Coordinates of all heavy atoms in Angstrom, one line a residue:
S32 N 42.6 -28.3 -4.6 CA 43.6 -27.2 -4.3 C 44.9 -27.7 -4.8 O 45.3 -28.8 -4.4 CB 43.6 -26.9 -2.8 OG 44.6 -25.9 -2.5
F33 N 45.6 -26.9 -5.6 CA 46.9 -27.4 -6.2 C 47.7 -26.1 -6.6 O 47.1 -25.1 -6.8 CB 46.7 -28.3 -7.4 CG 45.9 -27.6 -8.5 CD1 46.6 -27.0 -9.6 CD2 44.5 -27.6 -8.6 CE1 45.9 -26.5 -10.6 CE2 43.9 -27.0 -9.6 CZ 44.6 -26.5 -10.6
P34 N 49.0 -26.3 -6.7 CA 49.8 -25.1 -7.0 C 49.8 -24.7 -8.5 O 49.4 -25.5 -9.3 CB 51.2 -25.6 -6.6 CG 51.2 -27.1 -6.8 CD 49.8 -27.5 -6.4
E35 N 50.0 -23.4 -8.6 CA 50.1 -22.9 -10.1 C 51.3 -23.5 -10.8 O 52.1 -24.2 -10.2 CB 50.2 -21.4 -10.0 CG 51.4 -20.9 -9.3 CD 51.5 -19.4 -9.4 OE1 51.0 -18.8 -10.4 OE2 52.1 -18.8 -8.4
E36 N 51.3 -23.2 -12.1 CA 52.4 -23.6 -13.0 C 52.6 -25.1 -13.1 O 53.7 -25.5 -13.4 CB 53.7 -22.9 -12.6 CG 53.6 -21.4 -12.5 CD 53.4 -20.8 -13.8 OE1 53.6 -21.4 -14.9 OE2 53.1 -19.5 -13.9
M37 N 51.5 -25.9 -12.9 CA 51.7 -27.4 -13.1 C 51.7 -27.6 -14.6 O 51.1 -26.9 -15.4 CB 50.5 -28.1 -12.5 CG 50.5 -28.1 -10.9 SD 49.2 -29.1 -10.2 CE 49.7 -30.7 -10.8
K38 N 52.5 -28.7 -15.0 CA 52.6 -29.0 -16.4 C 51.3 -29.5 -17.0 O 50.4 -30.0 -16.3 CB 53.7 -30.0 -16.6 CG 55.1 -29.5 -16.2 CD 56.1 -30.7 -16.4 CE 57.5 -30.2 -16.0 NZ 58.5 -31.3 -16.3
R39 N 51.1 -29.3 -18.3 CA 49.9 -29.8 -19.0 C 49.9 -31.3 -18.9 O 50.9 -32.0 -19.0 CB 50.0 -29.4 -20.5 CG 49.8 -27.9 -20.6 CD 49.7 -27.6 -22.1 NE 49.6 -26.2 -22.4 CZ 49.6 -25.6 -23.6 NH1 49.6 -26.4 -24.7 NH2 49.5 -24.3 -23.7
G40 N 48.7 -31.8 -18.6 CA 48.5 -33.3 -18.4 C 48.7 -33.7 -17.0 O 48.4 -34.9 -16.7
S41 N 49.1 -32.8 -16.1 CA 49.2 -33.2 -14.7 C 47.9 -33.6 -14.1 O 46.9 -32.9 -14.4 CB 49.9 -32.1 -13.9 OG 51.2 -31.8 -14.4
V42 N 47.8 -34.6 -13.3 CA 46.6 -35.0 -12.7 C 46.2 -34.2 -11.5 O 47.0 -34.1 -10.6 CB 46.6 -36.5 -12.3 CG1 45.3 -37.0 -11.7 CG2 46.9 -37.4 -13.6
I43 N 45.1 -33.6 -11.5 CA 44.6 -32.9 -10.3 C 43.9 -33.7 -9.4 O 44.1 -33.6 -8.1 CB 43.6 -31.7 -10.8 CG1 44.4 -30.8 -11.8 CG2 43.1 -31.0 -9.6 CD1 43.4 -29.7 -12.4
G44 N 43.1 -34.7 -9.8 CA 42.4 -35.6 -9.0 C 41.5 -36.5 -9.8 O 41.2 -36.2 -11.0
N45 N 41.1 -37.6 -9.2 CA 40.1 -38.5 -9.9 C 38.7 -38.0 -9.6 O 38.2 -38.4 -8.5 CB 40.4 -40.0 -9.5 CG 39.7 -40.9 -10.4 OD1 38.4 -40.9 -10.5 ND2 40.4 -41.7 -11.1
I46 N 38.1 -37.3 -10.5 CA 36.8 -36.8 -10.2 C 35.7 -37.8 -10.2 O 34.7 -37.7 -9.6 CB 36.5 -35.6 -11.2 CG1 35.3 -34.8 -10.7 CG2 36.3 -36.2 -12.6 CD1 35.1 -33.6 -11.5
A47 N 35.9 -38.9 -11.1 CA 34.9 -39.9 -11.1 C 34.8 -40.6 -9.8 O 33.7 -40.9 -9.3 CB 35.3 -41.0 -12.2
K48 N 36.0 -40.9 -9.2 CA 36.0 -41.5 -7.9 C 35.4 -40.6 -6.8 O 34.6 -41.1 -5.9 CB 37.4 -42.0 -7.5 CG 37.5 -42.6 -6.2 CD 39.0 -43.0 -5.9 CE 39.1 -43.6 -4.5 NZ 40.5 -44.0 -4.2
D49 N 35.8 -39.3 -6.8 CA 35.3 -38.4 -5.8 C 33.8 -38.2 -5.9 O 33.1 -37.9 -4.9 CB 36.0 -37.1 -6.0 CG 37.5 -37.2 -5.7 OD1 37.9 -38.1 -4.9 OD2 38.3 -36.4 -6.2
L50 N 33.2 -38.3 -7.1 CA 31.8 -38.1 -7.3 C 31.0 -39.4 -7.3 O 29.8 -39.4 -7.4 CB 31.5 -37.3 -8.6 CG 31.9 -35.9 -8.6 CD1 31.7 -35.3 -10.0 CD2 31.2 -35.1 -7.6
G51 N 31.7 -40.5 -7.1 CA 31.0 -41.8 -7.1 C 30.5 -42.2 -8.4 O 29.4 -42.8 -8.5
L52 N 31.2 -41.8 -9.5 CA 30.7 -42.2 -10.9 C 31.5 -43.4 -11.4 O 32.7 -43.6 -11.0 CB 30.9 -40.9 -11.8 CG 30.2 -39.6 -11.4 CD1 30.6 -38.5 -12.3 CD2 28.7 -39.9 -11.4
E53 N 30.9 -44.0 -12.3 CA 31.6 -45.1 -13.0 C 32.4 -44.6 -14.2 O 31.9 -44.0 -15.1 CB 30.6 -46.2 -13.5 CG 29.8 -46.9 -12.4 CD 28.8 -47.9 -13.0 OE1 29.0 -48.2 -14.2 OE2 27.9 -48.3 -12.2
A54 N 33.7 -44.8 -14.1 CA 34.6 -44.3 -15.1 C 34.3 -44.9 -16.5 O 34.4 -44.2 -17.5 CB 36.0 -44.6 -14.8
S55 N 33.8 -46.1 -16.5 CA 33.5 -46.8 -17.8 C 32.3 -46.2 -18.5 O 32.1 -46.3 -19.7 CB 33.3 -48.3 -17.6 OG 32.2 -48.4 -16.7
R56 N 31.4 -45.4 -17.7 CA 30.2 -44.8 -18.2 C 30.4 -43.4 -18.7 O 29.5 -42.7 -19.2 CB 29.1 -44.8 -17.2 CG 28.6 -46.2 -16.9 CD 27.5 -46.7 -17.8 NE 26.4 -45.7 -17.7 CZ 25.5 -45.6 -18.6 NH1 25.6 -46.4 -19.7 NH2 24.5 -44.8 -18.4
L57 N 31.6 -42.8 -18.4 CA 31.8 -41.4 -18.7 C 31.7 -41.0 -20.2 O 31.1 -40.1 -20.6 CB 33.1 -40.9 -18.2 CG 33.3 -40.9 -16.6 CD1 34.7 -40.5 -16.3 CD2 32.3 -40.0 -16.0
S58 N 32.2 -41.9 -21.0 CA 32.2 -41.7 -22.5 C 30.8 -41.8 -23.0 O 30.3 -41.0 -23.8 CB 33.1 -42.7 -23.2 OG 33.1 -42.5 -24.6
A59 N 30.1 -42.9 -22.5 CA 28.7 -43.0 -23.0 C 27.8 -41.9 -22.6 O 26.9 -41.5 -23.3 CB 28.1 -44.3 -22.5
R60 N 28.1 -41.3 -21.4 CA 27.2 -40.2 -20.9 C 27.7 -38.9 -21.4 O 27.2 -37.8 -20.9 CB 27.2 -40.2 -19.4 CG 26.5 -41.5 -18.9 CD 26.3 -41.4 -17.4 NE 25.4 -40.3 -17.0 CZ 25.1 -40.0 -15.7 NH1 25.6 -40.7 -14.8 NH2 24.2 -39.1 -15.5
K61 N 28.7 -38.8 -22.3 CA 29.2 -37.6 -22.9 C 29.7 -36.6 -21.9 O 29.3 -35.5 -21.8 CB 28.1 -36.9 -23.8 CG 27.6 -37.8 -24.9 CD 26.5 -37.0 -25.7 CE 26.0 -37.9 -26.8 NZ 24.9 -37.2 -27.6
A62 N 30.4 -37.1 -21.0 CA 31.0 -36.2 -19.9 C 31.9 -35.2 -20.5 O 32.8 -35.5 -21.3 CB 31.7 -37.1 -18.9
R63 N 31.7 -34.0 -20.0 CA 32.6 -32.9 -20.5 C 32.6 -31.8 -19.4 O 31.7 -31.7 -18.6 CB 32.0 -32.3 -21.8 CG 30.6 -31.7 -21.6 CD 30.0 -31.3 -23.0 NE 28.7 -30.7 -22.8 CZ 27.6 -31.5 -22.9 NH1 27.7 -32.8 -23.0 NH2 26.4 -30.9 -22.8
V64 N 33.7 -30.9 -19.5 CA 33.8 -29.8 -18.6 C 33.5 -28.6 -19.4 O 34.1 -28.3 -20.5 CB 35.3 -29.8 -18.1 CG1 35.5 -28.5 -17.3 CG2 35.7 -31.0 -17.3

Side-chain angles (χ1 to χ4, degrees):
S32 178
F33 60 95
E35 62 177 327
E36 303 293 349
M37 290 183 65
K38 296 181 179 180
R39 293 183 182 179
S41 300
V42 177
I43 300 173
N45 193 298
I46 193 170
K48 179 179 179 182
D49 293 337
L50 291 175
L52 303 175
E53 296 181 12
S55 59
R56 293 272 300 160
L57 295 178
S58 179
R60 295 186 65 181
K61 300 179 182 179
R63 62 185 179 274
V64 175

